[in-house]
Amino acid sequence: MYSIAVIGAGYWGPNLVRNFRSNPAWDLVAVCDLDEQRARKVVGTRSTVEVETSVERLLARDDVDAVAIATPARTHAPLALAAFEAGKHVLVEKPLADNAETAAVMVSAAEAAGKVLMIDHTFCYTPAVQYIRDTIASGQLGDVLYIDSTRINLGLVQPDVDVFWDLAPHDLSILDFILPGGLRPSDVTAHGADPLGAGKACVGYLDLPLANGAIAHVNVNWLSPTKIRQMVVGGSRRTLVWDDMNPAQRISVHDRGVDLRTQAVDAAVQREAVTVSYRMGDVVVPALKEAEALAGVATEFAAAIEAGRAPLTDGRSGLRVLSVLEAASASLASGGTVPVVGLPGVEPELVR
Amino acid sequence: MYSIAVIGAGYWGPNLVRNFRSNPAWDLVAVCDLDEQRARKVVGTRSTVEVETSVERLLARDDVDAVAIATPARTHAPLALAAFEAGKHVLVEKPLADNAETAAVMVSAAEAAGKVLMIDHTFCYTPAVQYIRDTIASGQLGDVLYIDSTRINLGLVQPDVDVFWDLAPHDLSILDFILPGGLRPSDVTAHGADPLGAGKACVGYLDLPLANGAIAHVNVNWLSPTKIRQMVVGGSRRTLVWDDMNPAQRISVHDRGVDLRTQAVDAAVQREAVTVSYRMGDVVVPALKEAEALAGVATEFAAAIEAGRAPLTDGRSGLRVLSVLEAASASLASGGTVPVVGLPGVEPELVR
Amino acid sequence: MYSIAVIGAGYWGPNLVRNFRSNPAWDLVAVCDLDEQRARKVVGTRSTVEVETSVERLLARDDVDAVAIATPARTHAPLALAAFEAGKHVLVEKPLADNAETAAVMVSAAEAAGKVLMIDHTFCYTPAVQYIRDTIASGQLGDVLYIDSTRINLGLVQPDVDVFWDLAPHDLSILDFILPGGLRPSDVTAHGADPLGAGKACVGYLDLPLANGAIAHVNVNWLSPTKIRQMVVGGSRRTLVWDDMNPAQRISVHDRGVDLRTQAVDAAVQREAVTVSYRMGDVVVPALKEAEALAGVATEFAAAIEAGRAPLTDGRSGLRVLSVLEAASASLASGGTVPVVGLPGVEPELVR
Amino acid sequence: MYSIAVIGAGYWGPNLVRNFRSNPAWDLVAVCDLDEQRARKVVGTRSTVEVETSVERLLARDDVDAVAIATPARTHAPLALAAFEAGKHVLVEKPLADNAETAAVMVSAAEAAGKVLMIDHTFCYTPAVQYIRDTIASGQLGDVLYIDSTRINLGLVQPDVDVFWDLAPHDLSILDFILPGGLRPSDVTAHGADPLGAGKACVGYLDLPLANGAIAHVNVNWLSPTKIRQMVVGGSRRTLVWDDMNPAQRISVHDRGVDLRTQAVDAAVQREAVTVSYRMGDVVVPALKEAEALAGVATEFAAAIEAGRAPLTDGRSGLRVLSVLEAASASLASGGTVPVVGLPGVEPELVR
């Protein structure tokens, strides 16, 4: 069992507190926030979990093995660097940092310290996303032809970030997780709109060319009255549809597709296709267990520490996602396509 | 009652035949196709509807007031021009022609002849699209902020056109119909992918900036195992969702949205929005009658002839759609954004 | 090719006319109705299909091999008996007759005349119901444990029949078709309500004990604002769900169920089950072709005549359904459970 | 703030613990269970909530104002009577007791002691059920014509109770809550099946005649692979549909129905209705907030104690539900309809 403290008792912190508190691999010893009242409220009554208001004091403690950082993005790097300095393992909320350059420093610092740096790409720990990753890896879908991801909702218009930085990290981190070589698009084109005059994009689209002529497309929107979280992974053999708002049928695998094999020219029939055939096979809805993703995050964090290995969502994955986001912002600013450079590979980070 | 002949007994012709046959405003006198057997099959047994194999002979007949043209796109212009020459009214399948320049000639010829030129933008005659048009016009949605249209299906990979030219005419013609000033984007950006190596885009996305910072986005796909036909019209007051695959609830109008009015800065609460408020009101699902759209096309064609007016979907609307499609193709070829020029306005064409 | 006439141009007649007209196995020669205008309207313009107003004249014609009867239920028997007398094959709308005794006479008359008597249990010719029948027969579902059928809609309150006689024939005919031994419940209990004071049940429920402790339940309702047509066939190995209002997923086969095998008594855990285990396997959505059921009816009618065999839905199946409906009415009148007696078996009727 | 102890740390106890722990109106002081380990596990680590293994000791404490009883049904009465004896308020899990006679003793004891007796009819505290109750009370639905409730799932086959006693209490308590006079059917008919040979009904149907010719029907099933929780409340003016598995649209109110007003007899048109008209108006999906029902239970329990009034779901409502369940069991045993007698009215119980 490892001991942990959660830093930041705002929006996401309470979820971390709840999960580390109930996870058998962890002992939650403290919650740290500048606002003591807020921290105390998250801890609750009749609890002996401690409240801290000083990060320095917290990091100086010997009974804390690891910290989970859920503070604003610009503070991630200084907090994480201090934690590594103090010999702690670190879990960081997405995004890894507020820019890719700083994030790369965090990755290096973790490796230098021999400590685990994990990014909380929560969705990657859902049974659905793990099933998608396994299904692609097993070859059941064949080659990936296109991926279409939609994440729209009547959402909080954030004071500091646009809709790309608020929502697309989810889509991008999932893409990074399920694609065998990680998310490594050659370039990014972003289209955004700010029809409310909010001073930032509230509706956005990303186009990401993938290997072998495939394409990934991401649709994020803060203004939609309906909540849609859907991803379609089109493959040469089968196509997988993930509808996260449909618990009874989150994943369906369709044995349907187009094959460019046959040649049946019939000049008389004007609308018939000439070189394609279709498979219209069955659909399989796999049985998935229901599990809270954040519980999986906590478990993986402990397992990575225990094994001295990189976690499934390591610092490099956080860095890849951040680099694509930065390119998207550059595309939005320039109105054109922007190359993505310097993406780290998926080789595991050294921990010890 | 007007008399009509259908030219072209291929993919769409039989639907025209069925609808003109049963419409009380029309008397279907003949079906014309180079392939007599095909025409005869469409006419069916125990019928006195005539079969013609010569367009010249057909157009020379005095007992034919109008023709409906359902032949390949490249033949639309010569057939329509000959029909106007012969004093017939003309209904043309989409697209109006295979290029905008020729289409503009058709529009001019119709005006010169004082005959009706109607484009069969079928979806515009569904109760759903008519409801959308009326709802926008009435101001119930407020300003249009964004429109997101998805039309995906495991579709026929066409021998002669890509997925944009096959499917997007539907989305674009609907946009043209429901937007008060018609579809008049300043420019178009198209992203496509041909992951199967079919020699043309099978997956495509269009981004169209609209007036006042709004955006329209179109998603077309031949490779999707699921059939989705959905359009979201986000407005400043309400948002309308059209799900054409859900007959029990095709249209829903959501009194939900974001208002940039209030100012509630709370520095302590890191993820709270600062200048926005939300409406989370009711959803109304209007009662729509079920009606075959093509019956509405036939009725409107007769009504326009009768009144000597332009039909709801006149040649100019067909020309606007075609111009956007051409710009999309240019964008796809160049890899960048392409301006749309020379779009005709929505002033009605003169007929008589 | 056989020649046929349709008798009755009311509610269902036009559908029969349309299907026999377009079916290659049939030549539709005439439509017969006392109301000549109504018959003429169904035939339509520019058609040489004849209109008859006299059944006697129609049956006397040598160029008519078969008749399809779509008149009120009480006239089915006299028309069918006259048709057999005249040497015609007969297709009858459901219900076979207005009472089981008369229906039995029709079955005998058909056998005596060596002619085909087919009942138009339309749903039995849908790809979905045929799939259900095959799946049960193949043993994939194991033993049938329960069948739950719901057929509700805002429907026409009929002047002459209650909701059981209007809607339940569909459910009962499907049960008769898919159950290996046909529908042969030992007894029937009906519950109905007439909360509008319409003078007849507008809401109804049927409970039908099946073999081996299984149960069938039918829910019919004229007052529902939503249209539901759903049937669940619970089996000991798998369970099949048929949702006819969901074209994208009409049938799903669930590898989920309860097995009474294990024995794990744990007194301490108060809510744990003691002798059961659960299967939570995948769901398979089979690919079904879309086909109009009535086309299948027409084809089967011709095939049965051609082969000199009983059709899939023969007079005996119509008689079984009618007998259950009569018992339901008796149950409703008496307020208790009523035995069903004298059900014919599924041995095929002799035709020649 | 009142202090409370939860008795029973089995299936439902942890939910009560979680809710009383986080509710500002309550201070959870202890969890009591014969199995100390189980209680300790529910309390969790780093908590000062106490663990008790003796009910006597617990009830003797002065710092406990109320108890929540989540033990097997047969122990509810002795525990509640002892709690009233000790001057505690009592919340009891459903069913109130294992028989109506004992339950009536509990109701009397609570009144004699001047203490609150509340039954945890959890669903009554969901925003959806509260909306249904308000909508019926406001007259928006008109007269209730029928109520159809379905609650099916692949559920735990319980060792001690059949599917009626396991699932129908939910439906019956909701009916009791939403019907203005409470659930007071004149009689009950139950149909059940045990096709697995489990020794008890696993599939069940209840028919309950309501006032003015209306009917309520309940469908419960442990063997269904799909989870359905749906209730339709058909009214003379509007019909409400509650689909609890559809969070985006739990409630929809349909302005659709049948009116028995017009008289249009047309003998020639065989299938036309003669004395009815139809309304096919809009559907409204009201905005409902998402809230955990059990939080509402805890809040109502405190509010009733504070005000010295009966809670919304008082002992009498628990007694009415229990009486109907007993009649259902009698119906199942006898194979016929069984009258329901001795139902208490909805006058509020006296507390002080």
Side-chain angles (χ1 to χ4, degrees):
Chain A
M1 189 186 277
Y2 296 97
S3 59
I4 194 166
V6 170
I7 305 177
Y11 171 72
W12 194 246
N15 294 322
L16 292 171
V17 166
R18 180 167 45 78
N19 274 278
F20 281 110
R21 192 177 237 167
S22 62
N23 193 297
W26 289 102
D27 178 29
L28 177 72
V29 297
V31 174
C32 179
D33 199 287
L34 294 175
D35 181 340
E36 184 178 348
Q37 281 316 101
R38 189 159 70 163
R40 199 162 296 286
K41 194 178 165 203
V42 169
V43 166
T45 57
R46 294 190 178 254
S47 170
T48 60
V49 173
E50 295 169 47
V51 165
E52 280 280 10
T53 56
S54 155
V55 170
E56 290 68 31
R57 219 161 36 226
L58 180 76
L59 293 178
R61 289 172 63 151
D62 283 343
D63 65 342
V64 172
D65 301 321
V67 293
I69 301 174
T71 57
R74 68 182 180 284
T75 66
H76 288 181
L79 287 170
L81 295 177
F84 291 137
E85 186 78 21
K88 314 298 189 196
H89 302 281
V90 175
L91 172 72
V92 183
E93 276 320 289
K94 62 96 186 164
L96 188 53
D98 58 353
N99 67 80
E101 192 180 346
T102 305
V105 173
M106 292 166 73
V107 170
S108 299
E111 295 196 5
K115 294 294 169 188
V116 169
L117 170 60
M118 180 168 173
I119 175 99
D120 180 9
H121 286 162
T122 317
F123 276 105
C124 301
Y125 296 88
T126 57
V129 174
Q130 304 226 335
Y131 183 90
I132 299 173
R133 176 186 167 104
D134 293 346
T135 304
I136 292 177
S138 73
Q140 287 177 60
L141 302 185
D143 299 325
V144 170
L145 303 179
Y146 68 91
I147 301 183
D148 204 321
S149 189
T150 304
R151 187 171 308 274
I152 69 180
N153 195 12
L154 196 56
L156 288 175
V157 173
Q158 300 295 331
D160 45 355
V161 296
D162 65 10
V163 71
F164 291 104
W165 283 78
D166 184 43
L167 296 182
H170 296 302
D171 307 275
L172 298 174
S173 63
I174 294 166
L175 290 174
D176 186 66
F177 191 73
I178 63 175
L179 287 170
L183 178 64
R184 302 172 67 79
S186 55
D187 56 60
V188 177
T189 317
H191 295 270
D194 173 22
L196 286 176
K200 67 200 71 168
C202 294
V203 176
Y205 303 96
L206 292 179
D207 292 283
L208 310 168
L210 302 181
N212 303 317
I215 190 172
H217 183 262
V218 175
N219 173 351
V220 285
N221 188 326
W222 274 337
L223 307 181
S224 167
T226 52
K227 184 174 188 175
I228 300 181
R229 290 180 176 179
Q230 193 169 64
M231 184 178 281
V232 180
V233 182
S236 57
R237 294 186 57 209
R238 287 190 187 80
T239 292
L240 183 151
V241 177
W242 171 33
D243 180 356
D244 206 41
M245 303 314 293
N246 185 359
Q249 190 166 327
R250 286 193 205 277
I251 299 270
S252 53
V253 181
H254 300 246
D255 185 15
R256 296 180 186 172
V258 179
D259 298 316
L260 289 189
R261 288 185 203 141
T262 60
Q263 179 104 12
V265 180
D266 183 349
V269 186
Q270 95 201 53
R271 292 260 315 184
E272 210 99 64
V274 292
T275 58
V276 294
S277 67
Y278 296 88
R279 275 170 295 112
M280 289 297 289
D282 295 349
V283 180
V284 173
V285 179
L288 297 178
K289 63 180 190 301
E290 289 286 312
E292 185 172 4
L294 212 38
V297 171
T299 298
E300 169 68 5
F301 190 27
I305 294 171
E306 180 70 23
R309 62 163 170 83
L312 279 171
T313 51
D314 61 6
R316 294 183 184 206
S317 63
L319 180 50
R320 283 189 297 271
V321 168
L322 204 50
S323 300
V324 174
L325 281 172
E326 283 194 345
S329 288
S331 166
L332 207 59
S334 71
T337 298
V338 169
V340 186
V341 292
L343 288 175
V346 294
E347 317 75 49
E349 296 161 6
L350 291 177
V351 174
R352 279 175 190 157
Chain B
M1 186 186 279
Y2 296 97
S3 60
I4 193 166
V6 170
I7 305 177
Y11 171 72
W12 194 247
N15 295 321
L16 292 172
V17 166
R18 180 167 45 77
N19 273 278
F20 282 109
R21 193 177 236 166
S22 62
N23 193 297
W26 289 101
D27 178 28
L28 177 72
V29 298
V31 173
C32 180
D33 199 287
L34 294 175
D35 180 341
E36 184 178 348
Q37 281 316 101
R38 189 158 70 162
R40 200 162 295 285
K41 193 177 166 204
V42 169
V43 167
T45 57
R46 294 188 178 255
S47 170
T48 61
V49 173
E50 293 170 47
V51 165
E52 279 279 11
T53 55
S54 155
V55 170
E56 291 69 31
R57 219 160 36 226
L58 180 76
L59 293 177
R61 289 172 63 150
D62 283 343
D63 64 342
V64 172
D65 299 322
V67 294
I69 301 175
T71 56
R74 69 181 178 284
T75 66
H76 288 180
L79 287 171
L81 295 178
F84 292 137
E85 186 77 20
K88 315 299 188 194
H89 302 282
V90 175
L91 172 72
V92 183
E93 276 320 289
K94 61 98 185 162
L96 188 53
D98 57 353
N99 67 81
E101 192 180 346
T102 305
V105 173
M106 292 166 72
V107 171
S108 300
E111 295 196 5
K115 294 296 168 185
V116 168
L117 171 59
M118 179 168 175
I119 175 99
D120 180 9
H121 287 162
T122 317
F123 276 106
C124 301
Y125 296 88
T126 57
V129 174
Q130 304 225 335
Y131 183 91
I132 299 172
R133 176 186 166 105
D134 293 347
T135 304
I136 292 176
S138 72
Q140 287 178 61
L141 303 185
D143 299 325
V144 170
L145 303 178
Y146 68 92
I147 302 184
D148 204 321
S149 188
T150 303
R151 187 171 308 273
I152 69 180
N153 195 11
L154 195 57
L156 287 176
V157 173
Q158 300 295 329
D160 45 355
V161 296
D162 66 9
V163 71
F164 291 103
W165 281 78
D166 184 44
L167 296 183
H170 295 302
D171 307 274
L172 298 174
S173 63
I174 295 165
L175 291 174
D176 186 67
F177 191 75
I178 63 176
L179 288 170
L183 177 63
R184 302 172 65 80
S186 55
D187 56 60
V188 177
T189 317
H191 295 269
D194 174 21
L196 285 177
K200 68 200 70 167
C202 294
V203 176
Y205 303 97
L206 293 178
D207 291 282
L208 311 168
L210 302 180
N212 303 316
I215 189 171
H217 183 263
V218 175
N219 172 352
V220 285
N221 188 325
W222 275 336
L223 307 181
S224 167
T226 53
K227 185 174 187 174
I228 300 181
R229 290 179 177 179
Q230 193 169 63
M231 184 178 280
V232 180
V233 183
S236 58
R237 295 187 56 212
R238 287 190 186 81
T239 292
L240 183 151
V241 178
W242 171 33
D243 180 357
D244 206 41
M245 304 314 294
N246 184 0
Q249 191 166 326
R250 286 193 206 276
I251 299 270
S252 53
V253 181
H254 300 246
D255 185 15
R256 297 181 185 171
V258 178
D259 298 317
L260 290 188
R261 289 185 201 140
T262 61
Q263 180 106 9
V265 180
D266 183 348
V269 186
Q270 96 202 51
R271 293 259 316 184
E272 210 101 64
V274 293
T275 58
V276 294
S277 67
Y278 296 88
R279 276 170 294 111
M280 289 296 290
D282 294 349
V283 180
V284 173
V285 179
L288 297 178
K289 63 179 191 299
E290 288 285 312
E292 184 173 4
L294 211 38
V297 171
T299 298
E300 169 68 5
F301 190 28
I305 293 170
E306 181 70 22
R309 63 163 170 82
L312 280 171
T313 51
D314 61 7
R316 293 182 185 207
S317 63
L319 181 49
R320 284 190 296 271
V321 168
L322 205 50
S323 300
V324 174
L325 281 173
E326 282 195 346
S329 288
S331 167
L332 207 60
S334 72
T337 298
V338 168
V340 186
V341 292
L343 289 175
V346 294
E347 318 75 49
E349 295 162 5
L350 292 177
V351 174
R352 278 173 192 160
Chain C
M1 187 185 278
Y2 296 97
S3 60
I4 193 167
V6 170
I7 305 177
Y11 170 72
W12 194 247
N15 294 322
L16 292 171
V17 165
R18 180 168 46 78
N19 273 279
F20 281 110
R21 193 177 237 168
S22 63
N23 193 298
W26 290 101
D27 178 29
L28 177 71
V29 298
V31 174
C32 180
D33 199 288
L34 294 175
D35 180 340
E36 184 178 347
Q37 281 316 100
R38 188 157 71 162
R40 200 162 295 285
K41 192 177 167 205
V42 169
V43 166
T45 57
R46 294 190 179 254
S47 171
T48 60
V49 172
E50 294 169 48
V51 165
E52 280 279 10
T53 55
S54 154
V55 170
E56 290 69 31
R57 220 160 35 226
L58 180 77
L59 293 178
R61 289 173 62 152
D62 283 344
D63 64 343
V64 172
D65 300 321
V67 293
I69 300 174
T71 57
R74 69 182 180 285
T75 67
H76 288 180
L79 287 170
L81 295 177
F84 291 137
E85 186 77 21
K88 314 298 188 194
H89 301 283
V90 175
L91 172 72
V92 183
E93 276 320 289
K94 62 96 186 163
L96 188 53
D98 58 352
N99 66 81
E101 192 179 346
T102 305
V105 173
M106 291 166 73
V107 171
S108 299
E111 295 197 4
K115 294 295 168 187
V116 168
L117 171 59
M118 180 168 173
I119 175 100
D120 179 9
H121 287 162
T122 318
F123 277 105
C124 301
Y125 296 89
T126 58
V129 174
Q130 304 225 335
Y131 184 90
I132 299 173
R133 175 188 167 104
D134 293 347
T135 304
I136 292 177
S138 73
Q140 286 178 61
L141 302 186
D143 299 325
V144 171
L145 303 179
Y146 67 92
I147 301 182
D148 203 321
S149 189
T150 303
R151 186 172 307 273
I152 70 180
N153 196 11
L154 196 57
L156 288 175
V157 172
Q158 299 296 330
D160 45 355
V161 296
D162 65 10
V163 72
F164 292 103
W165 282 78
D166 184 43
L167 296 182
H170 295 302
D171 306 275
L172 298 175
S173 63
I174 294 165
L175 291 174
D176 186 66
F177 190 74
I178 63 176
L179 288 170
L183 177 63
R184 302 171 66 79
S186 55
D187 56 62
V188 178
T189 316
H191 295 270
D194 174 21
L196 285 176
K200 68 200 68 168
C202 294
V203 177
Y205 303 96
L206 292 179
D207 291 283
L208 310 168
L210 302 180
N212 303 318
I215 190 172
H217 183 261
V218 175
N219 173 352
V220 285
N221 188 325
W222 274 336
L223 307 180
S224 168
T226 53
K227 185 174 186 175
I228 300 180
R229 290 179 178 180
Q230 193 170 64
M231 185 178 280
V232 180
V233 182
S236 56
R237 295 187 55 210
R238 287 190 186 80
T239 292
L240 184 151
V241 177
W242 171 33
D243 180 356
D244 206 41
M245 303 314 293
N246 185 359
Q249 192 167 327
R250 286 194 204 277
I251 299 271
S252 53
V253 181
H254 300 246
D255 185 16
R256 296 180 185 171
V258 178
D259 298 316
L260 290 188
R261 289 185 201 141
T262 61
Q263 179 106 11
V265 180
D266 183 350
V269 186
Q270 95 202 51
R271 292 261 315 186
E272 210 99 63
V274 292
T275 58
V276 294
S277 67
Y278 296 88
R279 273 169 297 113
M280 289 298 289
D282 295 348
V283 179
V284 173
V285 179
L288 296 179
K289 62 179 191 301
E290 288 285 311
E292 184 172 4
L294 212 39
V297 170
T299 298
E300 169 70 5
F301 189 27
I305 293 171
E306 180 70 22
R309 63 163 170 82
L312 278 171
T313 51
D314 61 6
R316 293 182 185 206
S317 63
L319 181 49
R320 283 189 296 271
V321 168
L322 204 50
S323 300
V324 173
L325 281 172
E326 283 195 344
S329 288
S331 167
L332 207 59
S334 71
T337 299
V338 168
V340 186
V341 292
L343 289 175
V346 293
E347 317 75 48
E349 296 162 6
L350 291 177
V351 173
R352 279 175 190 158
Chain D
M1 188 186 277
Y2 297 96
S3 60
I4 194 166
V6 170
I7 305 177
Y11 170 72
W12 194 247
N15 295 322
L16 292 171
V17 166
R18 179 167 46 79
N19 274 279
F20 281 109
R21 193 177 236 167
S22 62
N23 194 298
W26 290 101
D27 178 29
L28 178 72
V29 298
V31 174
C32 180
D33 199 287
L34 294 175
D35 180 341
E36 185 178 347
Q37 280 316 103
R38 189 157 71 162
R40 199 161 296 285
K41 194 179 164 202
V42 168
V43 166
T45 57
R46 293 189 178 256
S47 170
T48 59
V49 173
E50 295 169 48
V51 165
E52 279 280 10
T53 54
S54 155
V55 170
E56 290 70 31
R57 221 159 37 225
L58 180 77
L59 293 179
R61 291 174 61 151
D62 282 344
D63 65 342
V64 172
D65 300 321
V67 293
I69 300 175
T71 56
R74 69 182 179 284
T75 66
H76 288 180
L79 288 170
L81 295 178
F84 291 136
E85 186 77 21
K88 315 298 188 194
H89 302 282
V90 175
L91 172 72
V92 183
E93 277 319 290
K94 63 96 187 164
L96 188 54
D98 58 352
N99 67 80
E101 191 179 347
T102 305
V105 173
M106 292 166 72
V107 170
S108 300
E111 296 196 5
K115 294 295 169 187
V116 168
L117 171 59
M118 180 168 173
I119 176 100
D120 179 9
H121 287 163
T122 318
F123 276 105
C124 300
Y125 296 89
T126 57
V129 173
Q130 304 224 335
Y131 184 90
I132 299 172
R133 175 186 167 104
D134 293 347
T135 304
I136 292 177
S138 73
Q140 288 178 59
L141 303 185
D143 299 324
V144 170
L145 304 179
Y146 68 92
I147 301 183
D148 203 321
S149 188
T150 303
R151 187 171 307 274
I152 68 180
N153 195 11
L154 196 58
L156 288 176
V157 173
Q158 300 295 330
D160 45 356
V161 296
D162 66 10
V163 71
F164 291 103
W165 281 78
D166 183 43
L167 296 183
H170 295 301
D171 307 274
L172 298 174
S173 63
I174 294 165
L175 290 175
D176 186 67
F177 191 74
I178 64 176
L179 288 170
L183 177 63
R184 301 172 65 80
S186 56
D187 56 61
V188 178
T189 317
H191 295 270
D194 174 21
L196 285 176
K200 68 200 69 166
C202 294
V203 176
Y205 303 96
L206 292 179
D207 292 283
L208 310 168
L210 302 180
N212 304 316
I215 189 172
H217 183 262
V218 175
N219 172 352
V220 285
N221 187 326
W222 275 336
L223 307 182
S224 168
T226 53
K227 184 174 186 175
I228 300 179
R229 289 179 176 179
Q230 193 169 65
M231 184 179 280
V232 180
V233 183
S236 57
R237 295 186 57 210
R238 286 190 187 80
T239 292
L240 184 152
V241 177
W242 171 33
D243 179 357
D244 206 42
M245 303 315 293
N246 184 0
Q249 190 166 326
R250 286 194 205 277
I251 298 270
S252 53
V253 180
H254 301 246
D255 184 16
R256 297 181 185 171
V258 178
D259 297 317
L260 290 188
R261 288 184 202 141
T262 61
Q263 179 105 11
V265 180
D266 183 349
V269 186
Q270 94 205 51
R271 294 260 314 186
E272 211 100 63
V274 293
T275 58
V276 294
S277 67
Y278 296 87
R279 273 170 296 111
M280 289 297 290
D282 294 348
V283 180
V284 173
V285 179
L288 297 179
K289 62 179 192 298
E290 289 285 312
E292 184 173 5
L294 212 39
V297 171
T299 298
E300 169 69 5
F301 189 28
I305 293 170
E306 182 69 22
R309 63 163 170 81
L312 279 171
T313 51
D314 61 6
R316 292 183 186 206
S317 63
L319 180 50
R320 284 190 297 271
V321 167
L322 204 51
S323 299
V324 173
L325 281 172
E326 282 195 345
S329 288
S331 167
L332 206 60
S334 72
T337 299
V338 167
V340 186
V341 293
L343 288 176
V346 293
E347 318 75 50
E349 297 162 5
L350 293 177
V351 174
R352 278 173 191 158

